[in-house]
Amino acid sequence: MTGLKRPLRPPDWADTHSGPVRPEIATARGAYETALRTMPRWAEAALAIRNRVVGIFGLHTPDMGQGMADLPVISETDEAYELGLKDRHLTFTILTEMRDGAAAVTTSIWYNHWAGRLYLLVVLIPHKLILRGALRRLA
């Protein structure tokens, strides 16, 4: 567990995507890792470009050898699995919850700097496409 402290205010932005889960995927961690361990090639290429660009500005670029599965874990139970990072521009968490045969993935963002808003504008469309495609892998 990372000990990441979420800001004490509600997120500045959040979205939730959900989809059905095969019976053999029994935990929130299993759902998260099945959905997000591998990324489409276009998303891997986009993340590689992102890492090069944001690195110039001193922003955090974690090793993503296993896709989004490499993010630091904040908390974990069988029903809920949360990962996240705090950087200069924003703090974000990804919470996967198992509910009645479905997985719900909620991304929450807190802006720490004006650049966090700009960053979200750039990644918002790919974010939605990646999550929708990832959740299809669970059915």
Side-chain angles (χ1 to χ4, degrees), residues 5 7 13 35-36 62 68-70 78 90 105 115 121 130 135 138:
K5 303 258 189 290
W13 180 89
L36 291 163
M68 300 296 285
D70 281 337
D78 284 348
L90 58 77
V105 179
L121 285 173
I130 289 168
L135 285 166
L138 298 176

Side-chain angles (χ1 to χ4, degrees), residues 71-133:
L71 293 170
V73 176
I74 297 170
S75 64
E76 179 176 2
T77 66
D78 284 348
E79 296 79 27
Y81 182 61
E82 187 175 25
L83 302 96
L85 282 175
K86 179 178 183 178
D87 206 336
R88 290 187 315 187
H89 66 309
L90 58 77
T91 300
F92 81 94
T93 62
I94 301 174
L95 172 64
T96 303
E97 296 176 287
M98 298 293 280
R99 305 178 190 155
D100 302 320
V105 179
T106 300
T107 304
S108 298
I109 293 178
W110 294 264
Y111 302 126
N112 299 332
H113 184 271
W114 65 265
R117 291 181 191 278
L118 178 61
Y119 180 80
L120 182 60
L121 285 173
V122 172
V123 302
L124 190 56
I125 291 173
H127 162 80
K128 290 178 182 283
L129 294 172
I130 289 168
L131 274 178
R132 289 176 186 157

